[in-house]
């Protein structure tokens, strides 16, 4: 069990954001924020990010791939 505690980059979320939008939504928003801050992609003054369903699933392995395909 000890090897599961912070042995990889953690997902972080503020409790106050989770209260306002929901826990799952806060996790996704925080990850979007993380990637947007590192993105070099820009169009019309807006940064953007792209990940495949498989890549998102690797970041959120606790959700089924169907969550990404069908919004379940």
């Amino acid at each position: 069990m000890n090897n599961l505690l912070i042995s990889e980059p953690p997902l972080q979320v503020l409790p106050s954001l989770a209260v306002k939008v929901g826990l799952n939504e806060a996790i996704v928003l925080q990850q979007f924020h993380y990637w947007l801050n590192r993105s070099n992609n820009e169009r019309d003054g807006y940064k953007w990010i792209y990940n495949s369903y498989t890549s998102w699933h690797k970041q959120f392995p606790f959700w089924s791939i169907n969550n990404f395909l069908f919004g379940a």
Side-chain angles (χ1 to χ4, degrees), residues 11-15 17-32 56 59-64 67-68 71-72:
L11 293 173
Q12 297 179 355
V13 68
L14 292 173
L17 179 60
V19 167
K20 288 186 183 215
V21 300
L23 179 58
N24 291 338
E25 294 80 359
I27 292 169
V28 172
L29 283 173
Q30 184 60 51
Q31 200 67 357
F32 285 174
W56 283 121
Q59 295 176 59
F60 307 118
F62 41 85
W63 290 325
S64 161
N67 289 101
F68 302 103

Side-chain angles (χ1 to χ4, degrees), residues 5 18 39 48 56 66:
L5 299 173
S39 175
W48 59 276
W56 283 121
N66 289 334

Side-chain angles (χ1 to χ4, degrees), residues 3 8 21 23 25 27 29 34 36 39-41 43-44 52 63 67:
N3 62 348
E8 58 191 283
V21 300
L23 179 58
E25 294 80 359
I27 292 169
L29 283 173
Y34 169 84
L36 283 168
S39 175
N40 293 322
N41 301 321
R43 184 172 181 144
D44 298 327
S52 66
W63 290 325
N67 289 101

Side-chain angles (χ1 to χ4, degrees), residues 45-61:
Y46 294 97
K47 283 189 169 189
W48 59 276
I49 56 173
Y50 169 81
N51 276 306
S52 66
Y53 289 124
T54 303
S55 180
W56 283 121
H57 187 247
K58 286 179 184 176
Q59 295 176 59
F60 307 118

